[in-house]
Amino acid sequence: MSGAARPPTDVQVRAVNTDEAAVGPVDLPAVTRPSALGGGGGASDLTGRQRVWRSSFAERLYGVVPPPPDRLLVSRERLPGEAAERLVLDLAVAERRHRVDAALWLPPDRRRPVPLIVALDFLGPVGILPGDGFPLDPDAVIGIPPQPWLPEGRLSAAARGRHQARWPVAEILGRGFGLLVSGYGSWVPDDPVRWRDRGVAALFPHLRTGALSLWAWALSRLIDLAQELSEVDPSRLVLFGHSRLGKAALWAAAGDARPAAVIANNSGAAGAALSRRNFGETLAHLRDGFPHWTVLDAADAAEPARLPVDQHQLLAAIAPRALYIASAAADLWADPRGEYLALLAAAPAWGGVAAGLPTAETAFVPGNAVAAGPLGWHLRDGPHDQTEWDWARFLDFLADR
């Protein structure tokens, strides 16, 4: 199961280009001013530009990320027979409330506060834990290709443990990291009709926003929680996301300075891939198939060059923190080359590290991994997925931070 490995049926009526020769020239707005390229500019100049980019992304692509809740209460309970705890978050905005679950894994042999990987997953803790101790959320709506164990996009007992292979928990804990995961469909129903019925959208009923901004908000609430855990080092928080949740992780990190590192796996259109490249999924495909994710209008979706920003500026908005972009060679729908080209175009925001990144022609070999200071990337051989091979490279990268 992929999450977004192929276009939904209703998107297939729009042509999809997977011929690199047909992409044509791509003109990108710069991430640094000409003076900065010559050694001028500096951190304050970049900070100002990042603020402008965030405003443009909010206005034209993602919509507004809501403010923090008025109240966030957390309770913790052990799960019998599991290495994880269940955390229950109770959020309130004025008189409106929402409750949502998460799961926390911590290294058993820790002697000091540990770095923590914070993430949303399609199935949430239910998909990682094989036992029946973690409750099924009857209101969660999961918007992935139909599966018999997700009747009408709802969690069932047969979904338990389905994502174990995507989350090598023993390896993550063995490397000294904790893991905090919640189910994305419990925060925002991933359905173009039902997405405002409950969850974050119901807390903020009058905001002009999209589901990606609301999932970004959810990640920031998990960061709120993480910063209060005595077992966690708040200076070493890592945001992780795969596919549409990689898009949300990048957008969350662009506006939330607390994560020290961000990893986006196969995030594609409106994630790490350049929007101005007509390759694989475009903004037009995304708007057709998932109109609730963004606030894109039809003209911008059809002609991304109308937008004042492109995705390399989303990546550059994360500087100077660590950033890892992961692509898959057979995942043409997510435009893996466009993801690496975006990282190359964003790299000047980190200063001299740009010189350490090879050209796309050199780097773009399946199985290749690249690191230059706080920037990293790899190209896994295979389709749209989240695998142990990916995690081995993520953890190697994080170990050097």
Short mmCIF file of all heavy atoms in Angstrom, two decimals, residues 85-146:
data_model
loop_
_atom_site.label_atom_id
_atom_site.label_comp_id
_atom_site.label_asym_id
_atom_site.label_seq_id
_atom_site.Cartn_x
_atom_site.Cartn_y
_atom_site.Cartn_z
N GLU A 85 3.63 3.53 24.94
CA GLU A 85 2.58 4.13 25.77
C GLU A 85 1.52 4.74 24.86
O GLU A 85 1.82 5.18 23.74
CB GLU A 85 3.14 5.26 26.63
CG GLU A 85 4.11 4.87 27.69
CD GLU A 85 4.59 6.11 28.45
OE1 GLU A 85 3.74 6.77 29.11
OE2 GLU A 85 5.78 6.42 28.38
N ARG A 86 0.30 4.80 25.38
CA ARG A 86 -0.76 5.54 24.72
C ARG A 86 -0.83 6.93 25.36
O ARG A 86 -0.85 7.07 26.58
CB ARG A 86 -2.09 4.84 24.88
CG ARG A 86 -3.26 5.60 24.26
CD ARG A 86 -4.58 5.01 24.67
NE ARG A 86 -5.71 5.77 24.11
CZ ARG A 86 -6.95 5.75 24.61
NH1 ARG A 86 -7.22 5.01 25.69
NH2 ARG A 86 -7.90 6.46 24.05
N LEU A 87 -0.84 7.96 24.51
CA LEU A 87 -1.02 9.32 24.96
C LEU A 87 -2.35 9.83 24.41
O LEU A 87 -2.65 9.63 23.23
CB LEU A 87 0.11 10.23 24.47
CG LEU A 87 1.45 10.15 25.24
CD1 LEU A 87 2.10 8.80 25.12
CD2 LEU A 87 2.40 11.22 24.74
N VAL A 88 -3.13 10.47 25.25
CA VAL A 88 -4.41 11.04 24.83
C VAL A 88 -4.30 12.55 24.94
O VAL A 88 -4.03 13.09 26.02
CB VAL A 88 -5.57 10.53 25.69
CG1 VAL A 88 -6.89 11.13 25.20
CG2 VAL A 88 -5.64 9.01 25.66
N LEU A 89 -4.48 13.22 23.81
CA LEU A 89 -4.42 14.68 23.76
C LEU A 89 -5.85 15.23 23.76
O LEU A 89 -6.69 14.80 22.97
CB LEU A 89 -3.71 15.15 22.49
CG LEU A 89 -2.21 14.87 22.34
CD1 LEU A 89 -1.95 13.43 21.97
CD2 LEU A 89 -1.61 15.79 21.30
N ASP A 90 -6.08 16.17 24.64
CA ASP A 90 -7.37 16.86 24.74
C ASP A 90 -7.14 18.32 24.38
O ASP A 90 -6.48 19.05 25.12
CB ASP A 90 -7.92 16.72 26.16
CG ASP A 90 -9.37 17.19 26.28
OD1 ASP A 90 -9.81 17.98 25.42
OD2 ASP A 90 -10.04 16.77 27.23
N LEU A 91 -7.66 18.74 23.23
CA LEU A 91 -7.43 20.08 22.71
C LEU A 91 -8.71 20.89 22.79
O LEU A 91 -9.80 20.37 22.52
CB LEU A 91 -6.94 20.02 21.27
CG LEU A 91 -5.71 19.17 21.00
CD1 LEU A 91 -6.07 17.98 20.13
CD2 LEU A 91 -4.62 19.97 20.35
N ALA A 92 -8.56 22.16 23.11
CA ALA A 92 -9.74 23.02 23.21
C ALA A 92 -9.46 24.37 22.55
O ALA A 92 -8.37 24.95 22.72
CB ALA A 92 -10.14 23.23 24.66
N VAL A 93 -10.42 24.85 21.78
CA VAL A 93 -10.42 26.20 21.21
C VAL A 93 -11.78 26.79 21.56
O VAL A 93 -12.80 26.33 21.04
CB VAL A 93 -10.19 26.19 19.70
CG1 VAL A 93 -10.29 27.60 19.13
CG2 VAL A 93 -8.84 25.56 19.36
N ALA A 94 -11.77 27.78 22.44
CA ALA A 94 -13.04 28.32 22.97
C ALA A 94 -13.82 27.15 23.56
O ALA A 94 -13.28 26.39 24.36
CB ALA A 94 -13.80 29.08 21.90
N GLU A 95 -15.07 26.97 23.13
CA GLU A 95 -15.87 25.87 23.69
C GLU A 95 -15.75 24.58 22.88
O GLU A 95 -16.31 23.55 23.24
CB GLU A 95 -17.35 26.30 23.75
CG GLU A 95 -18.08 26.32 22.42
CD GLU A 95 -17.73 27.52 21.54
OE1 GLU A 95 -16.95 28.39 22.00
OE2 GLU A 95 -18.24 27.59 20.40
N ARG A 96 -14.98 24.61 21.80
CA ARG A 96 -14.84 23.44 20.93
C ARG A 96 -13.69 22.56 21.40
O ARG A 96 -12.63 23.08 21.77
CB ARG A 96 -14.63 23.89 19.48
CG ARG A 96 -15.81 24.68 18.92
CD ARG A 96 -15.55 25.17 17.51
NE ARG A 96 -14.50 26.19 17.45
CZ ARG A 96 -14.70 27.48 17.67
NH1 ARG A 96 -15.92 27.94 17.97
NH2 ARG A 96 -13.70 28.35 17.59
N ARG A 97 -13.87 21.25 21.37
CA ARG A 97 -12.86 20.31 21.87
C ARG A 97 -12.64 19.18 20.87
O ARG A 97 -13.53 18.84 20.08
CB ARG A 97 -13.28 19.72 23.22
CG ARG A 97 -13.34 20.73 24.34
CD ARG A 97 -13.76 20.06 25.63
NE ARG A 97 -12.83 19.00 26.03
CZ ARG A 97 -13.06 18.18 27.08
NH1 ARG A 97 -14.17 18.30 27.79
NH2 ARG A 97 -12.18 17.25 27.40
N HIS A 98 -11.43 18.64 20.94
CA HIS A 98 -11.11 17.46 20.13
C HIS A 98 -10.14 16.59 20.91
O HIS A 98 -9.18 17.08 21.51
CB HIS A 98 -10.48 17.87 18.79
CG HIS A 98 -10.14 16.71 17.91
ND1 HIS A 98 -11.08 15.81 17.48
CD2 HIS A 98 -8.96 16.30 17.37
CE1 HIS A 98 -10.50 14.89 16.72
NE2 HIS A 98 -9.22 15.17 16.64
N ARG A 99 -10.40 15.30 20.92
CA ARG A 99 -9.51 14.33 21.57
C ARG A 99 -8.90 13.43 20.50
O ARG A 99 -9.58 13.01 19.55
CB ARG A 99 -10.27 13.48 22.59
CG ARG A 99 -10.65 14.24 23.85
CD ARG A 99 -11.64 13.45 24.69
NE ARG A 99 -11.10 12.18 25.15
CZ ARG A 99 -10.43 12.00 26.28
NH1 ARG A 99 -10.20 13.04 27.10
NH2 ARG A 99 -9.99 10.81 26.65
N VAL A 100 -7.62 13.14 20.67
CA VAL A 100 -6.92 12.33 19.68
C VAL A 100 -5.81 11.55 20.38
O VAL A 100 -5.25 12.00 21.38
CB VAL A 100 -6.35 13.22 18.55
CG1 VAL A 100 -5.31 14.18 19.07
CG2 VAL A 100 -5.80 12.40 17.40
N ASP A 101 -5.51 10.36 19.86
CA ASP A 101 -4.51 9.47 20.45
C ASP A 101 -3.17 9.59 19.73
O ASP A 101 -3.10 9.94 18.55
CB ASP A 101 -4.95 8.01 20.34
CG ASP A 101 -6.12 7.67 21.23
OD1 ASP A 101 -6.22 8.24 22.32
OD2 ASP A 101 -6.93 6.82 20.81
N ALA A 102 -2.11 9.23 20.46
CA ALA A 102 -0.78 9.05 19.88
C ALA A 102 -0.11 7.92 20.64
O ALA A 102 -0.59 7.49 21.70
CB ALA A 102 0.04 10.33 19.98
N ALA A 103 0.97 7.41 20.09
CA ALA A 103 1.75 6.39 20.78
C ALA A 103 3.20 6.86 20.89
O ALA A 103 3.73 7.50 19.98
CB ALA A 103 1.68 5.06 20.04
N LEU A 104 3.82 6.52 22.01
CA LEU A 104 5.19 6.93 22.31
C LEU A 104 6.03 5.70 22.61
O LEU A 104 5.67 4.88 23.47
CB LEU A 104 5.21 7.88 23.51
CG LEU A 104 6.58 8.31 24.04
CD1 LEU A 104 7.29 9.21 23.04
CD2 LEU A 104 6.43 9.02 25.39
N TRP A 105 7.15 5.58 21.88
CA TRP A 105 8.15 4.55 22.15
C TRP A 105 9.43 5.24 22.62
O TRP A 105 9.86 6.23 22.01
CB TRP A 105 8.48 3.75 20.89
CG TRP A 105 7.41 2.88 20.34
CD1 TRP A 105 7.28 1.54 20.50
CD2 TRP A 105 6.32 3.26 19.48
NE1 TRP A 105 6.18 1.06 19.81
CE2 TRP A 105 5.58 2.10 19.17
CE3 TRP A 105 5.90 4.47 18.93
CZ2 TRP A 105 4.45 2.12 18.36
CZ3 TRP A 105 4.77 4.50 18.12
CH2 TRP A 105 4.06 3.34 17.84
N LEU A 106 10.04 4.72 23.66
CA LEU A 106 11.29 5.28 24.18
C LEU A 106 12.32 4.17 24.34
O LEU A 106 11.97 3.03 24.70
CB LEU A 106 11.05 5.95 25.54
CG LEU A 106 10.19 7.21 25.52
CD1 LEU A 106 9.78 7.60 26.93
CD2 LEU A 106 10.91 8.36 24.83
N PRO A 107 13.62 4.45 24.07
CA PRO A 107 14.65 3.43 24.26
C PRO A 107 14.65 2.94 25.70
O PRO A 107 14.68 3.75 26.64
CB PRO A 107 15.95 4.17 23.92
CG PRO A 107 15.52 5.32 23.08
CD PRO A 107 14.18 5.72 23.57
N PRO A 108 14.61 1.64 25.92
CA PRO A 108 14.51 1.13 27.30
C PRO A 108 15.76 1.37 28.14
O PRO A 108 15.67 1.42 29.37
CB PRO A 108 14.25 -0.37 27.10
CG PRO A 108 14.80 -0.68 25.74
CD PRO A 108 14.59 0.56 24.92
N ASP A 109 16.92 1.51 27.49
CA ASP A 109 18.17 1.64 28.23
C ASP A 109 18.69 3.08 28.27
O ASP A 109 19.88 3.32 28.48
CB ASP A 109 19.24 0.74 27.62
CG ASP A 109 19.47 1.03 26.13
OD1 ASP A 109 18.68 1.82 25.56
OD2 ASP A 109 20.41 0.46 25.56
N ARG A 110 17.82 4.05 28.09
CA ARG A 110 18.25 5.46 28.05
C ARG A 110 18.77 5.88 29.43
O ARG A 110 18.27 5.45 30.47
CB ARG A 110 17.08 6.35 27.62
CG ARG A 110 15.92 6.33 28.57
CD ARG A 110 14.70 7.06 28.02
NE ARG A 110 13.62 7.04 28.99
CZ ARG A 110 12.78 6.02 29.17
NH1 ARG A 110 12.90 4.93 28.42
NH2 ARG A 110 11.84 6.08 30.09
N ARG A 111 19.77 6.76 29.40
CA ARG A 111 20.33 7.31 30.63
C ARG A 111 20.17 8.83 30.69
O ARG A 111 20.52 9.43 31.70
CB ARG A 111 21.81 6.94 30.75
CG ARG A 111 22.03 5.46 31.01
CD ARG A 111 23.51 5.15 31.19
NE ARG A 111 23.71 3.79 31.62
CZ ARG A 111 23.75 2.72 30.81
NH1 ARG A 111 23.57 2.90 29.50
NH2 ARG A 111 23.93 1.51 31.28
N ARG A 112 19.69 9.41 29.62
CA ARG A 112 19.51 10.85 29.54
C ARG A 112 18.37 11.13 28.57
O ARG A 112 17.93 10.21 27.86
CB ARG A 112 20.80 11.52 29.07
CG ARG A 112 21.28 11.05 27.70
CD ARG A 112 22.59 11.71 27.30
NE ARG A 112 23.67 11.31 28.19
CZ ARG A 112 24.39 10.21 28.03
NH1 ARG A 112 24.14 9.38 27.01
NH2 ARG A 112 25.36 9.92 28.86
N PRO A 113 17.89 12.35 28.49
CA PRO A 113 16.83 12.66 27.53
C PRO A 113 17.27 12.32 26.10
O PRO A 113 18.42 12.56 25.71
CB PRO A 113 16.63 14.16 27.71
CG PRO A 113 17.00 14.41 29.14
CD PRO A 113 18.15 13.49 29.39
N VAL A 114 16.35 11.78 25.33
CA VAL A 114 16.68 11.24 24.01
C VAL A 114 16.11 12.12 22.90
O VAL A 114 15.13 12.83 23.09
CB VAL A 114 16.13 9.81 23.85
CG1 VAL A 114 16.73 8.89 24.89
CG2 VAL A 114 14.60 9.79 23.93
N PRO A 115 16.73 12.08 21.72
CA PRO A 115 16.11 12.73 20.55
C PRO A 115 14.84 11.99 20.18
O PRO A 115 14.71 10.78 20.44
CB PRO A 115 17.18 12.60 19.46
CG PRO A 115 18.01 11.43 19.88
CD PRO A 115 18.00 11.42 21.38
N LEU A 116 13.89 12.69 19.60
CA LEU A 116 12.58 12.11 19.33
C LEU A 116 12.15 12.38 17.89
O LEU A 116 12.23 13.51 17.41
CB LEU A 116 11.54 12.71 20.27
CG LEU A 116 10.11 12.15 20.17
CD1 LEU A 116 10.05 10.74 20.72
CD2 LEU A 116 9.12 13.06 20.89
N ILE A 117 11.71 11.33 17.21
CA ILE A 117 11.13 11.45 15.87
C ILE A 117 9.62 11.59 16.02
O ILE A 117 8.97 10.76 16.67
CB ILE A 117 11.49 10.23 15.01
CG1 ILE A 117 13.01 10.15 14.83
CG2 ILE A 117 10.78 10.28 13.66
CD1 ILE A 117 13.51 8.84 14.24
N VAL A 118 9.08 12.64 15.44
CA VAL A 118 7.65 12.99 15.56
C VAL A 118 7.00 12.84 14.20
O VAL A 118 7.52 13.37 13.20
CB VAL A 118 7.50 14.43 16.08
CG1 VAL A 118 6.02 14.82 16.16
CG2 VAL A 118 8.19 14.60 17.44
N ALA A 119 5.88 12.13 14.13
CA ALA A 119 5.30 11.84 12.81
C ALA A 119 3.81 11.57 12.89
O ALA A 119 3.28 11.17 13.94
CB ALA A 119 6.00 10.64 12.19
N LEU A 120 3.16 11.75 11.77
CA LEU A 120 1.84 11.22 11.52
C LEU A 120 1.98 10.01 10.60
O LEU A 120 2.89 9.94 9.77
CB LEU A 120 0.95 12.26 10.83
CG LEU A 120 0.64 13.54 11.61
CD1 LEU A 120 -0.13 14.52 10.73
CD2 LEU A 120 -0.14 13.23 12.88
N ASP A 121 1.08 9.06 10.75
CA ASP A 121 1.05 7.88 9.88
C ASP A 121 -0.37 7.70 9.36
O ASP A 121 -1.34 8.15 9.98
CB ASP A 121 1.49 6.63 10.65
CG ASP A 121 1.44 5.38 9.79
OD1 ASP A 121 2.28 5.26 8.88
OD2 ASP A 121 0.54 4.54 10.00
N PHE A 122 -0.51 7.04 8.22
CA PHE A 122 -1.83 6.83 7.65
C PHE A 122 -2.74 6.03 8.59
O PHE A 122 -3.90 6.38 8.78
CB PHE A 122 -1.71 6.14 6.29
CG PHE A 122 -1.13 7.02 5.23
CD1 PHE A 122 0.23 6.98 4.93
CD2 PHE A 122 -1.93 7.91 4.55
CE1 PHE A 122 0.78 7.81 3.97
CE2 PHE A 122 -1.38 8.75 3.58
CZ PHE A 122 -0.03 8.70 3.30
N LEU A 123 -2.22 4.98 9.17
CA LEU A 123 -3.01 4.16 10.09
C LEU A 123 -2.78 4.53 11.54
O LEU A 123 -3.52 4.07 12.42
CB LEU A 123 -2.69 2.67 9.89
CG LEU A 123 -2.87 2.13 8.46
CD1 LEU A 123 -2.55 0.64 8.43
CD2 LEU A 123 -4.26 2.40 7.93
N GLY A 124 -1.74 5.31 11.81
CA GLY A 124 -1.43 5.69 13.17
C GLY A 124 -0.86 4.53 13.96
O GLY A 124 -0.42 3.52 13.40
N PRO A 125 -0.87 4.63 15.29
CA PRO A 125 -0.30 3.56 16.11
C PRO A 125 -0.94 2.20 15.86
O PRO A 125 -0.27 1.17 15.99
CB PRO A 125 -0.60 4.05 17.54
CG PRO A 125 -0.65 5.54 17.42
CD PRO A 125 -1.29 5.80 16.09
N VAL A 126 -2.20 2.18 15.48
CA VAL A 126 -2.87 0.91 15.19
C VAL A 126 -2.14 0.14 14.09
O VAL A 126 -2.06 -1.10 14.13
CB VAL A 126 -4.34 1.18 14.77
CG1 VAL A 126 -4.97 -0.02 14.08
CG2 VAL A 126 -5.17 1.59 15.99
N GLY A 127 -1.59 0.85 13.12
CA GLY A 127 -0.89 0.18 12.03
C GLY A 127 0.48 -0.32 12.40
O GLY A 127 1.06 -1.14 11.69
N ILE A 128 1.03 0.17 13.50
CA ILE A 128 2.38 -0.22 13.93
C ILE A 128 2.33 -1.32 14.99
O ILE A 128 3.16 -2.22 15.01
CB ILE A 128 3.14 1.02 14.48
CG1 ILE A 128 3.15 2.13 13.43
CG2 ILE A 128 4.57 0.65 14.86
CD1 ILE A 128 3.72 3.45 13.95
N LEU A 129 1.35 -1.23 15.89
CA LEU A 129 1.23 -2.18 16.99
C LEU A 129 0.36 -3.37 16.58
O LEU A 129 -0.80 -3.19 16.18
CB LEU A 129 0.60 -1.48 18.20
CG LEU A 129 1.42 -0.33 18.80
CD1 LEU A 129 0.56 0.52 19.72
CD2 LEU A 129 2.63 -0.88 19.54
N PRO A 130 0.87 -4.59 16.67
CA PRO A 130 0.09 -5.74 16.23
C PRO A 130 -0.98 -6.18 17.22
O PRO A 130 -1.95 -6.84 16.85
CB PRO A 130 1.15 -6.83 16.06
CG PRO A 130 2.24 -6.45 17.01
CD PRO A 130 2.26 -4.95 17.05
N GLY A 131 -0.80 -5.80 18.50
CA GLY A 131 -1.77 -6.22 19.51
C GLY A 131 -3.05 -5.41 19.44
O GLY A 131 -3.20 -4.47 18.65
N ASP A 132 -4.00 -5.77 20.32
CA ASP A 132 -5.30 -5.12 20.30
C ASP A 132 -5.47 -4.11 21.43
O ASP A 132 -6.59 -3.68 21.72
CB ASP A 132 -6.43 -6.16 20.34
CG ASP A 132 -6.37 -7.03 21.60
OD1 ASP A 132 -5.50 -6.80 22.46
OD2 ASP A 132 -7.20 -7.96 21.71
N GLY A 133 -4.35 -3.70 22.08
CA GLY A 133 -4.46 -2.80 23.22
C GLY A 133 -4.71 -1.35 22.86
O GLY A 133 -5.29 -0.60 23.66
N PHE A 134 -4.27 -0.92 21.65
CA PHE A 134 -4.48 0.47 21.26
C PHE A 134 -5.85 0.60 20.62
O PHE A 134 -6.19 -0.14 19.70
CB PHE A 134 -3.39 0.93 20.28
CG PHE A 134 -3.22 2.41 20.22
CD1 PHE A 134 -2.26 3.04 21.00
CD2 PHE A 134 -4.05 3.21 19.43
CE1 PHE A 134 -2.11 4.42 20.98
CE2 PHE A 134 -3.90 4.58 19.39
CZ PHE A 134 -2.93 5.19 20.18
N PRO A 135 -6.67 1.54 21.09
CA PRO A 135 -8.05 1.60 20.59
C PRO A 135 -8.13 2.06 19.14
O PRO A 135 -7.35 2.89 18.69
CB PRO A 135 -8.71 2.62 21.53
CG PRO A 135 -7.58 3.47 22.01
CD PRO A 135 -6.40 2.57 22.11
N LEU A 136 -9.10 1.51 18.42
CA LEU A 136 -9.41 1.98 17.07
C LEU A 136 -10.23 3.26 17.16
O LEU A 136 -11.17 3.35 17.96
CB LEU A 136 -10.22 0.92 16.31
CG LEU A 136 -9.57 -0.44 16.08
CD1 LEU A 136 -10.61 -1.40 15.51
CD2 LEU A 136 -8.40 -0.32 15.14
N ASP A 137 -9.86 4.26 16.38
CA ASP A 137 -10.62 5.49 16.35
C ASP A 137 -11.77 5.32 15.34
O ASP A 137 -11.53 5.28 14.14
CB ASP A 137 -9.73 6.66 15.94
CG ASP A 137 -10.46 7.99 15.88
OD1 ASP A 137 -11.69 8.00 16.09
OD2 ASP A 137 -9.82 9.01 15.60
N PRO A 138 -13.01 5.26 15.81
CA PRO A 138 -14.11 5.03 14.87
C PRO A 138 -14.39 6.21 13.95
O PRO A 138 -15.09 6.06 12.95
CB PRO A 138 -15.31 4.77 15.80
CG PRO A 138 -14.97 5.52 17.06
CD PRO A 138 -13.47 5.40 17.21
N ASP A 139 -13.84 7.39 14.30
CA ASP A 139 -14.10 8.59 13.50
C ASP A 139 -12.99 8.90 12.49
O ASP A 139 -13.15 9.81 11.67
CB ASP A 139 -14.27 9.80 14.41
CG ASP A 139 -15.50 9.67 15.30
OD1 ASP A 139 -16.54 9.23 14.79
OD2 ASP A 139 -15.40 9.98 16.50
N ALA A 140 -11.86 8.18 12.57
CA ALA A 140 -10.77 8.44 11.64
C ALA A 140 -11.20 8.08 10.22
O ALA A 140 -11.87 7.07 9.99
CB ALA A 140 -9.54 7.63 12.03
N VAL A 141 -10.80 8.92 9.26
CA VAL A 141 -11.07 8.65 7.84
C VAL A 141 -9.74 8.67 7.11
O VAL A 141 -9.02 9.68 7.13
CB VAL A 141 -12.02 9.69 7.24
CG1 VAL A 141 -12.25 9.40 5.75
CG2 VAL A 141 -13.36 9.70 7.99
N ILE A 142 -9.39 7.56 6.46
CA ILE A 142 -8.10 7.39 5.79
C ILE A 142 -8.34 7.40 4.29
O ILE A 142 -9.10 6.58 3.76
CB ILE A 142 -7.42 6.07 6.24
CG1 ILE A 142 -7.07 6.13 7.72
CG2 ILE A 142 -6.16 5.81 5.43
CD1 ILE A 142 -8.11 5.61 8.64
N GLY A 143 -7.70 8.32 3.60
CA GLY A 143 -7.97 8.51 2.17
C GLY A 143 -6.93 7.89 1.28
O GLY A 143 -6.26 8.60 0.52
N ILE A 144 -6.73 6.58 1.38
CA ILE A 144 -5.79 5.88 0.51
C ILE A 144 -6.58 4.92 -0.38
O ILE A 144 -7.77 4.71 -0.16
CB ILE A 144 -4.73 5.13 1.33
CG1 ILE A 144 -5.37 4.09 2.25
CG2 ILE A 144 -3.90 6.11 2.15
CD1 ILE A 144 -4.37 3.25 3.01
N PRO A 145 -5.93 4.32 -1.40
CA PRO A 145 -6.65 3.39 -2.26
C PRO A 145 -7.40 2.33 -1.45
O PRO A 145 -6.91 1.88 -0.41
CB PRO A 145 -5.54 2.78 -3.12
CG PRO A 145 -4.51 3.86 -3.21
CD PRO A 145 -4.54 4.54 -1.87
N PRO A 146 -8.58 1.93 -1.89
CA PRO A 146 -9.43 1.02 -1.12
C PRO A 146 -8.71 -0.26 -0.72
O PRO A 146 -7.97 -0.85 -1.50
CB PRO A 146 -10.60 0.73 -2.07
CG PRO A 146 -10.64 1.89 -2.99
CD PRO A 146 -9.21 2.33 -3.16
#
